[in-house]
Amino acid sequence: MKSTPTLALVMGVSGSGKSHVGKRLAEAIGADFIDADDHHSASSIAKMSRGEPLNDGDREGWLETLAGFFRDHARQGRSLVIGCSALKRRYRDQLRTGAPALRILYLHGSRELLLARLRARQGHFFQGDHMLDSQLRDLEPPGDDEAIRMDISLSPEEIVTRFIERIGA
């Protein structure tokens, strides 16, 4: 009998650790990992590199691509973790079209900690205090009915362990 694959979204604003935690989670549960940033269009990357926030239209095709990854993995019976900002409920709803049983890990933290992490990054297209502030303004934090919330002041290992315990993976 084939087991049900685990489909998980690790979400939060830039600097929250989506990629780092997402990779560790994927390793821990034997899943593939996809960093959503790797699937932005060239025009969206150029826009963010200029310090311009993306709008809903910029994200539409990107979110459909990500939902397709969830859909494909579910069809193949393979587990998948995607690290994606998924700032708004409607974005998460769009991702759920590919994975109705999607498990969501919401990484949150103080602006100060997020900013410190962003300033320490090298070679990432997401730059600037105002870009973080734009994401924080757009963020519609998921409620307890939608996601498992973890503070980024915890170690990545502790976040992964607690999330796995909560979802029973």
mmCIF file with all atom_site columns, all heavy atoms in Angstrom, residues 10-38:
data_model
loop_
_atom_site.group_PDB
_atom_site.id
_atom_site.type_symbol
_atom_site.label_atom_id
_atom_site.label_alt_id
_atom_site.label_comp_id
_atom_site.label_asym_id
_atom_site.label_entity_id
_atom_site.label_seq_id
_atom_site.pdbx_PDB_ins_code
_atom_site.Cartn_x
_atom_site.Cartn_y
_atom_site.Cartn_z
_atom_site.occupancy
_atom_site.B_iso_or_equiv
_atom_site.pdbx_formal_charge
_atom_site.auth_seq_id
_atom_site.auth_comp_id
_atom_site.auth_asym_id
_atom_site.auth_atom_id
_atom_site.pdbx_PDB_model_num
ATOM 1   N N   . VAL A 1 10 ? 7.003  25.991 3.236   1.00 0.00 ? 10 VAL A N   1
ATOM 2   C CA  . VAL A 1 10 ? 7.693  26.752 4.275   1.00 0.00 ? 10 VAL A CA  1
ATOM 3   C C   . VAL A 1 10 ? 7.617  28.201 3.824   1.00 0.00 ? 10 VAL A C   1
ATOM 4   O O   . VAL A 1 10 ? 8.171  28.566 2.790   1.00 0.00 ? 10 VAL A O   1
ATOM 5   C CB  . VAL A 1 10 ? 9.153  26.293 4.448   1.00 0.00 ? 10 VAL A CB  1
ATOM 6   C CG1 . VAL A 1 10 ? 9.843  27.129 5.520   1.00 0.00 ? 10 VAL A CG1 1
ATOM 7   C CG2 . VAL A 1 10 ? 9.213  24.814 4.803   1.00 0.00 ? 10 VAL A CG2 1
ATOM 8   N N   . MET A 1 11 ? 6.867  29.011 4.573   1.00 0.00 ? 11 MET A N   1
ATOM 9   C CA  . MET A 1 11 ? 6.580  30.380 4.144   1.00 0.00 ? 11 MET A CA  1
ATOM 10  C C   . MET A 1 11 ? 7.049  31.410 5.155   1.00 0.00 ? 11 MET A C   1
ATOM 11  O O   . MET A 1 11 ? 7.271  31.099 6.319   1.00 0.00 ? 11 MET A O   1
ATOM 12  C CB  . MET A 1 11 ? 5.084  30.551 3.891   1.00 0.00 ? 11 MET A CB  1
ATOM 13  C CG  . MET A 1 11 ? 4.240  30.401 5.145   1.00 0.00 ? 11 MET A CG  1
ATOM 14  S SD  . MET A 1 11 ? 2.627  31.249 5.102   1.00 0.00 ? 11 MET A SD  1
ATOM 15  C CE  . MET A 1 11 ? 3.094  32.977 5.090   1.00 0.00 ? 11 MET A CE  1
ATOM 16  N N   . GLY A 1 12 ? 7.176  32.637 4.674   1.00 0.00 ? 12 GLY A N   1
ATOM 17  C CA  . GLY A 1 12 ? 7.549  33.777 5.491   1.00 0.00 ? 12 GLY A CA  1
ATOM 18  C C   . GLY A 1 12 ? 8.194  34.833 4.605   1.00 0.00 ? 12 GLY A C   1
ATOM 19  O O   . GLY A 1 12 ? 8.430  34.599 3.424   1.00 0.00 ? 12 GLY A O   1
ATOM 20  N N   . VAL A 1 13 ? 8.466  35.974 5.177   1.00 0.00 ? 13 VAL A N   1
ATOM 21  C CA  . VAL A 1 13 ? 9.099  37.049 4.410   1.00 0.00 ? 13 VAL A CA  1
ATOM 22  C C   . VAL A 1 13 ? 10.567 36.722 4.179   1.00 0.00 ? 13 VAL A C   1
ATOM 23  O O   . VAL A 1 13 ? 11.112 35.779 4.766   1.00 0.00 ? 13 VAL A O   1
ATOM 24  C CB  . VAL A 1 13 ? 8.946  38.418 5.123   1.00 0.00 ? 13 VAL A CB  1
ATOM 25  C CG1 . VAL A 1 13 ? 7.479  38.806 5.253   1.00 0.00 ? 13 VAL A CG1 1
ATOM 26  C CG2 . VAL A 1 13 ? 9.634  38.418 6.476   1.00 0.00 ? 13 VAL A CG2 1
ATOM 27  N N   . SER A 1 14 ? 11.212 37.503 3.346   1.00 0.00 ? 14 SER A N   1
ATOM 28  C CA  . SER A 1 14 ? 12.638 37.300 3.078   1.00 0.00 ? 14 SER A CA  1
ATOM 29  C C   . SER A 1 14 ? 13.427 37.430 4.369   1.00 0.00 ? 14 SER A C   1
ATOM 30  O O   . SER A 1 14 ? 13.148 38.284 5.202   1.00 0.00 ? 14 SER A O   1
ATOM 31  C CB  . SER A 1 14 ? 13.136 38.318 2.059   1.00 0.00 ? 14 SER A CB  1
ATOM 32  O OG  . SER A 1 14 ? 12.683 37.964 0.786   1.00 0.00 ? 14 SER A OG  1
ATOM 33  N N   . GLY A 1 15 ? 14.401 36.553 4.506   1.00 0.00 ? 15 GLY A N   1
ATOM 34  C CA  . GLY A 1 15 ? 15.237 36.546 5.697   1.00 0.00 ? 15 GLY A CA  1
ATOM 35  C C   . GLY A 1 15 ? 14.727 35.649 6.806   1.00 0.00 ? 15 GLY A C   1
ATOM 36  O O   . GLY A 1 15 ? 15.384 35.479 7.823   1.00 0.00 ? 15 GLY A O   1
ATOM 37  N N   . SER A 1 16 ? 13.563 35.033 6.599   1.00 0.00 ? 16 SER A N   1
ATOM 38  C CA  . SER A 1 16 ? 12.991 34.183 7.655   1.00 0.00 ? 16 SER A CA  1
ATOM 39  C C   . SER A 1 16 ? 13.606 32.783 7.693   1.00 0.00 ? 16 SER A C   1
ATOM 40  O O   . SER A 1 16 ? 13.423 32.063 8.668   1.00 0.00 ? 16 SER A O   1
ATOM 41  C CB  . SER A 1 16 ? 11.465 34.087 7.508   1.00 0.00 ? 16 SER A CB  1
ATOM 42  O OG  . SER A 1 16 ? 11.109 33.482 6.285   1.00 0.00 ? 16 SER A OG  1
ATOM 43  N N   . GLY A 1 17 ? 14.320 32.408 6.643   1.00 0.00 ? 17 GLY A N   1
ATOM 44  C CA  . GLY A 1 17 ? 14.979 31.103 6.633   1.00 0.00 ? 17 GLY A CA  1
ATOM 45  C C   . GLY A 1 17 ? 14.229 30.033 5.865   1.00 0.00 ? 17 GLY A C   1
ATOM 46  O O   . GLY A 1 17 ? 14.450 28.842 6.084   1.00 0.00 ? 17 GLY A O   1
ATOM 47  N N   . LYS A 1 18 ? 13.355 30.439 4.942   1.00 0.00 ? 18 LYS A N   1
ATOM 48  C CA  . LYS A 1 18 ? 12.551 29.473 4.187   1.00 0.00 ? 18 LYS A CA  1
ATOM 49  C C   . LYS A 1 18 ? 13.397 28.423 3.480   1.00 0.00 ? 18 LYS A C   1
ATOM 50  O O   . LYS A 1 18 ? 13.094 27.235 3.550   1.00 0.00 ? 18 LYS A O   1
ATOM 51  C CB  . LYS A 1 18 ? 11.691 30.197 3.139   1.00 0.00 ? 18 LYS A CB  1
ATOM 52  C CG  . LYS A 1 18 ? 10.702 31.170 3.681   1.00 0.00 ? 18 LYS A CG  1
ATOM 53  C CD  . LYS A 1 18 ? 9.949  31.863 2.579   1.00 0.00 ? 18 LYS A CD  1
ATOM 54  C CE  . LYS A 1 18 ? 10.775 32.696 1.658   1.00 0.00 ? 18 LYS A CE  1
ATOM 55  N NZ  . LYS A 1 18 ? 11.336 33.924 2.227   1.00 0.00 ? 18 LYS A NZ  1
ATOM 56  N N   . SER A 1 19 ? 14.454 28.853 2.812   1.00 0.00 ? 19 SER A N   1
ATOM 57  C CA  . SER A 1 19 ? 15.278 27.916 2.059   1.00 0.00 ? 19 SER A CA  1
ATOM 58  C C   . SER A 1 19 ? 16.064 27.002 2.992   1.00 0.00 ? 19 SER A C   1
ATOM 59  O O   . SER A 1 19 ? 16.094 25.786 2.797   1.00 0.00 ? 19 SER A O   1
ATOM 60  C CB  . SER A 1 19 ? 16.249 28.666 1.139   1.00 0.00 ? 19 SER A CB  1
ATOM 61  O OG  . SER A 1 19 ? 15.529 29.414 0.192   1.00 0.00 ? 19 SER A OG  1
ATOM 62  N N   . HIS A 1 20 ? 16.680 27.581 3.989   1.00 0.00 ? 20 HIS A N   1
ATOM 63  C CA  . HIS A 1 20 ? 17.507 26.789 4.916   1.00 0.00 ? 20 HIS A CA  1
ATOM 64  C C   . HIS A 1 20 ? 16.646 25.767 5.661   1.00 0.00 ? 20 HIS A C   1
ATOM 65  O O   . HIS A 1 20 ? 16.965 24.573 5.697   1.00 0.00 ? 20 HIS A O   1
ATOM 66  C CB  . HIS A 1 20 ? 18.229 27.729 5.890   1.00 0.00 ? 20 HIS A CB  1
ATOM 67  C CG  . HIS A 1 20 ? 19.193 27.036 6.780   1.00 0.00 ? 20 HIS A CG  1
ATOM 68  N ND1 . HIS A 1 20 ? 20.391 26.530 6.317   1.00 0.00 ? 20 HIS A ND1 1
ATOM 69  C CD2 . HIS A 1 20 ? 19.146 26.750 8.098   1.00 0.00 ? 20 HIS A CD2 1
ATOM 70  C CE1 . HIS A 1 20 ? 21.029 25.969 7.323   1.00 0.00 ? 20 HIS A CE1 1
ATOM 71  N NE2 . HIS A 1 20 ? 20.305 26.086 8.421   1.00 0.00 ? 20 HIS A NE2 1
ATOM 72  N N   . VAL A 1 21 ? 15.565 26.221 6.251   1.00 0.00 ? 21 VAL A N   1
ATOM 73  C CA  . VAL A 1 21 ? 14.672 25.322 6.997   1.00 0.00 ? 21 VAL A CA  1
ATOM 74  C C   . VAL A 1 21 ? 14.004 24.343 6.038   1.00 0.00 ? 21 VAL A C   1
ATOM 75  O O   . VAL A 1 21 ? 13.872 23.152 6.340   1.00 0.00 ? 21 VAL A O   1
ATOM 76  C CB  . VAL A 1 21 ? 13.628 26.127 7.805   1.00 0.00 ? 21 VAL A CB  1
ATOM 77  C CG1 . VAL A 1 21 ? 12.560 25.214 8.385   1.00 0.00 ? 21 VAL A CG1 1
ATOM 78  C CG2 . VAL A 1 21 ? 14.314 26.924 8.918   1.00 0.00 ? 21 VAL A CG2 1
ATOM 79  N N   . GLY A 1 22 ? 13.594 24.827 4.870   1.00 0.00 ? 22 GLY A N   1
ATOM 80  C CA  . GLY A 1 22 ? 12.939 23.964 3.893   1.00 0.00 ? 22 GLY A CA  1
ATOM 81  C C   . GLY A 1 22 ? 13.823 22.808 3.447   1.00 0.00 ? 22 GLY A C   1
ATOM 82  O O   . GLY A 1 22 ? 13.365 21.667 3.347   1.00 0.00 ? 22 GLY A O   1
ATOM 83  N N   . LYS A 1 23 ? 15.095 23.085 3.196   1.00 0.00 ? 23 LYS A N   1
ATOM 84  C CA  . LYS A 1 23 ? 16.029 22.023 2.800   1.00 0.00 ? 23 LYS A CA  1
ATOM 85  C C   . LYS A 1 23 ? 16.193 21.005 3.924   1.00 0.00 ? 23 LYS A C   1
ATOM 86  O O   . LYS A 1 23 ? 16.205 19.799 3.684   1.00 0.00 ? 23 LYS A O   1
ATOM 87  C CB  . LYS A 1 23 ? 17.388 22.621 2.433   1.00 0.00 ? 23 LYS A CB  1
ATOM 88  C CG  . LYS A 1 23 ? 17.398 23.340 1.111   1.00 0.00 ? 23 LYS A CG  1
ATOM 89  C CD  . LYS A 1 23 ? 18.747 24.006 0.869   1.00 0.00 ? 23 LYS A CD  1
ATOM 90  C CE  . LYS A 1 23 ? 18.671 24.911 -0.352  1.00 0.00 ? 23 LYS A CE  1
ATOM 91  N NZ  . LYS A 1 23 ? 19.891 25.707 -0.490  1.00 0.00 ? 23 LYS A NZ  1
ATOM 92  N N   . ARG A 1 24 ? 16.318 21.484 5.153   1.00 0.00 ? 24 ARG A N   1
ATOM 93  C CA  . ARG A 1 24 ? 16.473 20.571 6.293   1.00 0.00 ? 24 ARG A CA  1
ATOM 94  C C   . ARG A 1 24 ? 15.217 19.729 6.502   1.00 0.00 ? 24 ARG A C   1
ATOM 95  O O   . ARG A 1 24 ? 15.308 18.546 6.810   1.00 0.00 ? 24 ARG A O   1
ATOM 96  C CB  . ARG A 1 24 ? 16.804 21.361 7.557   1.00 0.00 ? 24 ARG A CB  1
ATOM 97  C CG  . ARG A 1 24 ? 18.213 21.887 7.562   1.00 0.00 ? 24 ARG A CG  1
ATOM 98  C CD  . ARG A 1 24 ? 18.480 22.682 8.834   1.00 0.00 ? 24 ARG A CD  1
ATOM 99  N NE  . ARG A 1 24 ? 19.832 23.158 8.853   1.00 0.00 ? 24 ARG A NE  1
ATOM 100 C CZ  . ARG A 1 24 ? 20.816 22.598 9.543   1.00 0.00 ? 24 ARG A CZ  1
ATOM 101 N NH1 . ARG A 1 24 ? 20.594 21.525 10.261  1.00 0.00 ? 24 ARG A NH1 1
ATOM 102 N NH2 . ARG A 1 24 ? 22.024 23.102 9.514   1.00 0.00 ? 24 ARG A NH2 1
ATOM 103 N N   . LEU A 1 25 ? 14.063 20.346 6.324   1.00 0.00 ? 25 LEU A N   1
ATOM 104 C CA  . LEU A 1 25 ? 12.807 19.614 6.455   1.00 0.00 ? 25 LEU A CA  1
ATOM 105 C C   . LEU A 1 25 ? 12.715 18.541 5.376   1.00 0.00 ? 25 LEU A C   1
ATOM 106 O O   . LEU A 1 25 ? 12.365 17.388 5.662   1.00 0.00 ? 25 LEU A O   1
ATOM 107 C CB  . LEU A 1 25 ? 11.613 20.570 6.370   1.00 0.00 ? 25 LEU A CB  1
ATOM 108 C CG  . LEU A 1 25 ? 10.229 19.921 6.366   1.00 0.00 ? 25 LEU A CG  1
ATOM 109 C CD1 . LEU A 1 25 ? 9.986  19.105 7.641   1.00 0.00 ? 25 LEU A CD1 1
ATOM 110 C CD2 . LEU A 1 25 ? 9.151  20.993 6.186   1.00 0.00 ? 25 LEU A CD2 1
ATOM 111 N N   . ALA A 1 26 ? 13.029 18.912 4.145   1.00 0.00 ? 26 ALA A N   1
ATOM 112 C CA  . ALA A 1 26 ? 12.972 17.944 3.042   1.00 0.00 ? 26 ALA A CA  1
ATOM 113 C C   . ALA A 1 26 ? 13.897 16.756 3.310   1.00 0.00 ? 26 ALA A C   1
ATOM 114 O O   . ALA A 1 26 ? 13.500 15.604 3.112   1.00 0.00 ? 26 ALA A O   1
ATOM 115 C CB  . ALA A 1 26 ? 13.340 18.636 1.725   1.00 0.00 ? 26 ALA A CB  1
ATOM 116 N N   . GLU A 1 27 ? 15.105 17.017 3.777   1.00 0.00 ? 27 GLU A N   1
ATOM 117 C CA  . GLU A 1 27 ? 16.037 15.941 4.105   1.00 0.00 ? 27 GLU A CA  1
ATOM 118 C C   . GLU A 1 27 ? 15.458 15.039 5.195   1.00 0.00 ? 27 GLU A C   1
ATOM 119 O O   . GLU A 1 27 ? 15.545 13.813 5.110   1.00 0.00 ? 27 GLU A O   1
ATOM 120 C CB  . GLU A 1 27 ? 17.373 16.512 4.583   1.00 0.00 ? 27 GLU A CB  1
ATOM 121 C CG  . GLU A 1 27 ? 18.215 17.110 3.492   1.00 0.00 ? 27 GLU A CG  1
ATOM 122 C CD  . GLU A 1 27 ? 19.459 17.813 4.035   1.00 0.00 ? 27 GLU A CD  1
ATOM 123 O OE1 . GLU A 1 27 ? 19.814 17.610 5.218   1.00 0.00 ? 27 GLU A OE1 1
ATOM 124 O OE2 . GLU A 1 27 ? 20.070 18.567 3.258   1.00 0.00 ? 27 GLU A OE2 1
ATOM 125 N N   . ALA A 1 28 ? 14.867 15.662 6.212   1.00 0.00 ? 28 ALA A N   1
ATOM 126 C CA  . ALA A 1 28 ? 14.368 14.901 7.361   1.00 0.00 ? 28 ALA A CA  1
ATOM 127 C C   . ALA A 1 28 ? 13.206 13.983 7.001   1.00 0.00 ? 28 ALA A C   1
ATOM 128 O O   . ALA A 1 28 ? 13.050 12.913 7.590   1.00 0.00 ? 28 ALA A O   1
ATOM 129 C CB  . ALA A 1 28 ? 13.948 15.859 8.481   1.00 0.00 ? 28 ALA A CB  1
ATOM 130 N N   . ILE A 1 29 ? 12.387 14.377 6.017   1.00 0.00 ? 29 ILE A N   1
ATOM 131 C CA  . ILE A 1 29 ? 11.209 13.560 5.668   1.00 0.00 ? 29 ILE A CA  1
ATOM 132 C C   . ILE A 1 29 ? 11.375 12.826 4.342   1.00 0.00 ? 29 ILE A C   1
ATOM 133 O O   . ILE A 1 29 ? 10.439 12.187 3.870   1.00 0.00 ? 29 ILE A O   1
ATOM 134 C CB  . ILE A 1 29 ? 9.908  14.391 5.675   1.00 0.00 ? 29 ILE A CB  1
ATOM 135 C CG1 . ILE A 1 29 ? 9.923  15.487 4.595   1.00 0.00 ? 29 ILE A CG1 1
ATOM 136 C CG2 . ILE A 1 29 ? 9.646  14.966 7.058   1.00 0.00 ? 29 ILE A CG2 1
ATOM 137 C CD1 . ILE A 1 29 ? 8.590  16.220 4.430   1.00 0.00 ? 29 ILE A CD1 1
ATOM 138 N N   . GLY A 1 30 ? 12.553 12.934 3.737   1.00 0.00 ? 30 GLY A N   1
ATOM 139 C CA  . GLY A 1 30 ? 12.794 12.243 2.467   1.00 0.00 ? 30 GLY A CA  1
ATOM 140 C C   . GLY A 1 30 ? 12.021 12.830 1.307   1.00 0.00 ? 30 GLY A C   1
ATOM 141 O O   . GLY A 1 30 ? 11.520 12.112 0.448   1.00 0.00 ? 30 GLY A O   1
ATOM 142 N N   . ALA A 1 31 ? 11.950 14.164 1.272   1.00 0.00 ? 31 ALA A N   1
ATOM 143 C CA  . ALA A 1 31 ? 11.203 14.861 0.229   1.00 0.00 ? 31 ALA A CA  1
ATOM 144 C C   . ALA A 1 31 ? 12.142 15.608 -0.711  1.00 0.00 ? 31 ALA A C   1
ATOM 145 O O   . ALA A 1 31 ? 13.300 15.862 -0.375  1.00 0.00 ? 31 ALA A O   1
ATOM 146 C CB  . ALA A 1 31 ? 10.227 15.861 0.869   1.00 0.00 ? 31 ALA A CB  1
ATOM 147 N N   . ASP A 1 32 ? 11.629 15.967 -1.872  1.00 0.00 ? 32 ASP A N   1
ATOM 148 C CA  . ASP A 1 32 ? 12.339 16.880 -2.759  1.00 0.00 ? 32 ASP A CA  1
ATOM 149 C C   . ASP A 1 32 ? 12.164 18.283 -2.187  1.00 0.00 ? 32 ASP A C   1
ATOM 150 O O   . ASP A 1 32 ? 11.191 18.564 -1.484  1.00 0.00 ? 32 ASP A O   1
ATOM 151 C CB  . ASP A 1 32 ? 11.750 16.835 -4.172  1.00 0.00 ? 32 ASP A CB  1
ATOM 152 C CG  . ASP A 1 32 ? 11.967 15.493 -4.857  1.00 0.00 ? 32 ASP A CG  1
ATOM 153 O OD1 . ASP A 1 32 ? 13.005 14.848 -4.596  1.00 0.00 ? 32 ASP A OD1 1
ATOM 154 O OD2 . ASP A 1 32 ? 11.098 15.092 -5.643  1.00 0.00 ? 32 ASP A OD2 1
ATOM 155 N N   . PHE A 1 33 ? 13.093 19.195 -2.521  1.00 0.00 ? 33 PHE A N   1
ATOM 156 C CA  . PHE A 1 33 ? 12.984 20.590 -2.102  1.00 0.00 ? 33 PHE A CA  1
ATOM 157 C C   . PHE A 1 33 ? 13.055 21.487 -3.319  1.00 0.00 ? 33 PHE A C   1
ATOM 158 O O   . PHE A 1 33 ? 13.899 21.286 -4.198  1.00 0.00 ? 33 PHE A O   1
ATOM 159 C CB  . PHE A 1 33 ? 14.091 20.988 -1.120  1.00 0.00 ? 33 PHE A CB  1
ATOM 160 C CG  . PHE A 1 33 ? 14.042 22.461 -0.782  1.00 0.00 ? 33 PHE A CG  1
ATOM 161 C CD1 . PHE A 1 33 ? 13.067 22.943 0.077   1.00 0.00 ? 33 PHE A CD1 1
ATOM 162 C CD2 . PHE A 1 33 ? 14.925 23.356 -1.362  1.00 0.00 ? 33 PHE A CD2 1
ATOM 163 C CE1 . PHE A 1 33 ? 12.983 24.300 0.372   1.00 0.00 ? 33 PHE A CE1 1
ATOM 164 C CE2 . PHE A 1 33 ? 14.853 24.717 -1.074  1.00 0.00 ? 33 PHE A CE2 1
ATOM 165 C CZ  . PHE A 1 33 ? 13.883 25.182 -0.201  1.00 0.00 ? 33 PHE A CZ  1
ATOM 166 N N   . ILE A 1 34 ? 12.174 22.484 -3.356  1.00 0.00 ? 34 ILE A N   1
ATOM 167 C CA  . ILE A 1 34 ? 12.196 23.500 -4.401  1.00 0.00 ? 34 ILE A CA  1
ATOM 168 C C   . ILE A 1 34 ? 12.204 24.863 -3.734  1.00 0.00 ? 34 ILE A C   1
ATOM 169 O O   . ILE A 1 34 ? 11.367 25.157 -2.874  1.00 0.00 ? 34 ILE A O   1
ATOM 170 C CB  . ILE A 1 34 ? 10.969 23.377 -5.341  1.00 0.00 ? 34 ILE A CB  1
ATOM 171 C CG1 . ILE A 1 34 ? 11.051 22.076 -6.140  1.00 0.00 ? 34 ILE A CG1 1
ATOM 172 C CG2 . ILE A 1 34 ? 10.870 24.590 -6.265  1.00 0.00 ? 34 ILE A CG2 1
ATOM 173 C CD1 . ILE A 1 34 ? 9.833  21.789 -7.003  1.00 0.00 ? 34 ILE A CD1 1
ATOM 174 N N   . ASP A 1 35 ? 13.160 25.696 -4.137  1.00 0.00 ? 35 ASP A N   1
ATOM 175 C CA  . ASP A 1 35 ? 13.208 27.082 -3.685  1.00 0.00 ? 35 ASP A CA  1
ATOM 176 C C   . ASP A 1 35 ? 12.427 27.903 -4.705  1.00 0.00 ? 35 ASP A C   1
ATOM 177 O O   . ASP A 1 35 ? 12.810 27.979 -5.876  1.00 0.00 ? 35 ASP A O   1
ATOM 178 C CB  . ASP A 1 35 ? 14.661 27.557 -3.605  1.00 0.00 ? 35 ASP A CB  1
ATOM 179 C CG  . ASP A 1 35 ? 14.796 28.923 -2.971  1.00 0.00 ? 35 ASP A CG  1
ATOM 180 O OD1 . ASP A 1 35 ? 13.868 29.759 -3.092  1.00 0.00 ? 35 ASP A OD1 1
ATOM 181 O OD2 . ASP A 1 35 ? 15.847 29.171 -2.349  1.00 0.00 ? 35 ASP A OD2 1
ATOM 182 N N   . ALA A 1 36 ? 11.334 28.494 -4.263  1.00 0.00 ? 36 ALA A N   1
ATOM 183 C CA  . ALA A 1 36 ? 10.460 29.241 -5.174  1.00 0.00 ? 36 ALA A CA  1
ATOM 184 C C   . ALA A 1 36 ? 11.200 30.375 -5.878  1.00 0.00 ? 36 ALA A C   1
ATOM 185 O O   . ALA A 1 36 ? 10.874 30.707 -7.026  1.00 0.00 ? 36 ALA A O   1
ATOM 186 C CB  . ALA A 1 36 ? 9.254  29.791 -4.412  1.00 0.00 ? 36 ALA A CB  1
ATOM 187 N N   . ASP A 1 37 ? 12.200 30.951 -5.216  1.00 0.00 ? 37 ASP A N   1
ATOM 188 C CA  . ASP A 1 37 ? 12.954 32.042 -5.833  1.00 0.00 ? 37 ASP A CA  1
ATOM 189 C C   . ASP A 1 37 ? 13.612 31.614 -7.141  1.00 0.00 ? 37 ASP A C   1
ATOM 190 O O   . ASP A 1 37 ? 13.830 32.438 -8.020  1.00 0.00 ? 37 ASP A O   1
ATOM 191 C CB  . ASP A 1 37 ? 14.029 32.571 -4.880  1.00 0.00 ? 37 ASP A CB  1
ATOM 192 C CG  . ASP A 1 37 ? 13.465 33.455 -3.783  1.00 0.00 ? 37 ASP A CG  1
ATOM 193 O OD1 . ASP A 1 37 ? 12.288 33.859 -3.870  1.00 0.00 ? 37 ASP A OD1 1
ATOM 194 O OD2 . ASP A 1 37 ? 14.216 33.732 -2.823  1.00 0.00 ? 37 ASP A OD2 1
ATOM 195 N N   . ASP A 1 38 ? 13.924 30.337 -7.275  1.00 0.00 ? 38 ASP A N   1
ATOM 196 C CA  . ASP A 1 38 ? 14.555 29.842 -8.501  1.00 0.00 ? 38 ASP A CA  1
ATOM 197 C C   . ASP A 1 38 ? 13.601 29.818 -9.688  1.00 0.00 ? 38 ASP A C   1
ATOM 198 O O   . ASP A 1 38 ? 14.028 29.534 -10.810 1.00 0.00 ? 38 ASP A O   1
ATOM 199 C CB  . ASP A 1 38 ? 15.102 28.424 -8.286  1.00 0.00 ? 38 ASP A CB  1
ATOM 200 C CG  . ASP A 1 38 ? 16.237 28.386 -7.286  1.00 0.00 ? 38 ASP A CG  1
ATOM 201 O OD1 . ASP A 1 38 ? 16.862 29.440 -7.026  1.00 0.00 ? 38 ASP A OD1 1
ATOM 202 O OD2 . ASP A 1 38 ? 16.504 27.296 -6.741  1.00 0.00 ? 38 ASP A OD2 1
#
